[in-house]
């Protein structure tokens, strides 16, 4: 069993953010490691950075809020390997590899959430409905990108960008942020439910 599994996603998310931003100064200095800088910049920051932090939060919060089993090794490795493929695809200038990572991570996370909803004893906070919407838009954006690249169809970049921003990013912010922002502002506590699978040392902690 992996101890503190969320930490690895947070570290990977930070590295993806650095990599995604570094593409621009590298390009200006004449070192172009990818053909489409803007495309990989979006992928690394939205799927690599944001999705890593979302995964780290969800694999911690979902079992605690639903009073269900914590993330299993196979689930964790599948999600993390998927996230790892995103920067690997950028390093080798292979967008398909990055998208494969997004698909693997997203499918595993959707399975994880459905499973914990079914076996959990408690209901999730209403704000988590936005997380489901965000993953829905992840699937739509991935499909549009693959169709455009593999079938040479002209799909408006503005449409894809709006799905990225309005669909994926904002729903993740609402889904996760509505639960965490009050904690960061000091208005309440992040309550960890008591259950036999809880890996936290205490039942209630201040973030």
């Amino acid at each position: 069993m992996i101890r503190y599994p969320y930490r690895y996603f947070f570290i990977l998310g930070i590295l993806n953010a650095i990599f995604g931003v570094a593409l621009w100064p590298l390009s200006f200095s004449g070192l172009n490691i990818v053909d489409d800088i803007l495309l990989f910049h979006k992928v690394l920051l939205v799927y690599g950075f944001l999705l890593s932090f979302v995964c780290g939060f969800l694999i911690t919060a979902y079992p605690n809020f639903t009073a269900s089993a914590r993330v299993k090794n196979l689930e964790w490795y599948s999600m993390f390997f998927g996230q790892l493929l995103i920067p690997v695809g950028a390093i080798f200038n292979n967008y398909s590899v990055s998208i494969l990572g997004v698909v693997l991570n997203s499918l595993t996370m959707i399975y994880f959430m459905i499973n914990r909803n079914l076996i959990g004893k408690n209901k999730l906070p209403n704000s988590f409905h936005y997380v489901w919407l965000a993953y829905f838009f992840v699937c739509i954006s991935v499909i549009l990108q693959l169709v455009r690249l593999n079938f040479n169809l002209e799909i408006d970049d503005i449409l894809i960008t709006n799905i990225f921003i309005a669909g994926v990013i904002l729903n993740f912010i609402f889904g996760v942020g509505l639960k965490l922002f009050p904690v960061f502002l000091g208005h309440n506590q992040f309550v960890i439910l008591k259950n036999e699978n809880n890996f936290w040392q205490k039942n209630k902690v201040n973030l």
Side-chain angles (χ1 to χ4, degrees), residues 40-65:
F40 277 101
H41 173 78
K42 292 178 182 178
V43 170
L44 287 168
L45 289 183
V46 176
Y47 294 141
F49 168 68
L50 179 61
L51 207 56
S52 291
F53 275 83
V54 168
C55 285
F57 172 78
L58 289 180
I59 62 176
T60 304
Y62 235 84
N64 287 319
F65 281 125

Side-chain angles (χ1 to χ4, degrees), residues 41-201:
H41 173 78
K42 292 178 182 178
V43 170
L44 287 168
L45 289 183
V46 176
Y47 294 141
F49 168 68
L50 179 61
L51 207 56
S52 291
F53 275 83
V54 168
C55 285
F57 172 78
L58 289 180
I59 62 176
T60 304
Y62 235 84
N64 287 319
F65 281 125
T66 58
S68 59
R70 60 170 292 189
V71 64
K72 298 178 181 178
N73 282 353
L74 183 59
E75 294 169 335
W76 186 91
Y77 282 116
S78 180
M79 292 181 205
F80 192 78
F81 181 68
Q83 284 302 104
L84 199 59
L85 285 178
I86 296 172
V88 169
I91 292 172
F92 290 98
N93 192 27
N94 192 325
Y95 181 70
S96 297
V97 172
S98 295
I99 290 300
L100 176 62
V102 176
V103 172
L104 178 60
N105 174 280
S106 299
L107 290 178
T108 308
M109 178 55 74
I110 291 171
Y111 165 80
F112 171 80
M113 292 190 297
I114 291 175
N115 179 265
R116 297 317 184 271
N117 279 335
L118 292 176
I119 68 175
K121 300 176 182 178
N122 301 324
K123 290 184 177 181
L124 285 168
N126 290 331
S127 62
F128 274 60
H129 295 155
Y130 289 106
V131 174
W132 284 99
L133 278 175
Y135 272 103
F136 169 77
F137 283 109
V138 166
C139 296
I140 297 297
S141 63
V142 167
I143 291 172
L144 289 177
Q145 292 279 14
L146 291 176
V147 167
R148 185 177 66 172
L149 291 176
N150 294 322
F151 297 97
N152 296 320
L153 296 179
E154 293 186 3
I155 300 177
D156 193 353
D157 278 333
I158 296 178
L159 172 63
I160 297 178
T161 300
N162 286 337
I163 291 176
F164 259 74
I165 296 175
V168 179
I169 299 177
L170 291 182
N171 277 299
F172 273 139
I173 290 175
F174 289 148
V176 176
L178 288 177
K179 200 63 188 174
L180 289 183
F181 286 164
V183 178
F184 294 150
L185 297 175
H187 294 308
N188 60 12
Q189 292 176 314
F190 185 81
V191 178
I192 305 299
L193 300 173
K194 294 181 180 180
N195 69 79
E196 58 185 5
N197 300 300
N198 197 344
F199 63 89
W200 292 87
Q201 296 293 326

